[in-house]
Amino acid sequence: MQRYIAELEQAGLVERIERRASHGGKMTNTYDLSGLVARLKKLEPEFRKVEEDVKTERKAVAKRGYKPKRKPSATAN
């Protein structure tokens, strides 16, 4: 798990914030995910387009007389 978090830190998606107890001992870390959130916001329009395309395809399938596009068979000569 620590390796994955370190990779996310190197990519600038996560920032680890170490915490210390008042007696000097270590406590669990907290994480700043603002880099990840910013990256997801940049990708959001792309995901939205895919979602809209899927919705359109589902509507087409629900219509009477729908015939899916056939892919050529790999075994056909």
Side-chain angles (χ1 to χ4, degrees), residues 26-46:
K26 288 188 176 183
M27 295 175 59
T28 57
N29 295 327
T30 59
Y31 297 90
D32 177 2
L33 304 177
S34 58
L36 179 62
V37 170
R39 178 76 180 268
L40 289 172
K41 283 182 180 181
K42 284 172 67 173
L43 294 173
E44 192 269 337
E46 187 177 325

Side-chain angles (χ1 to χ4, degrees), residues 2-5 7 9 14 16 24 27-28 35 37 41 43 49 52 56 61 64 66 74-76:
Q2 291 175 355
R3 183 183 316 157
Y4 298 124
I5 293 172
E7 289 176 10
E9 283 182 293
V14 173
R16 184 183 334 215
M27 295 175 59
T28 57
V37 170
K41 283 182 180 181
L43 294 173
K49 180 175 179 353
E52 288 171 2
T56 302
V61 169
R64 289 184 120 183
Y66 172 78
T75 59

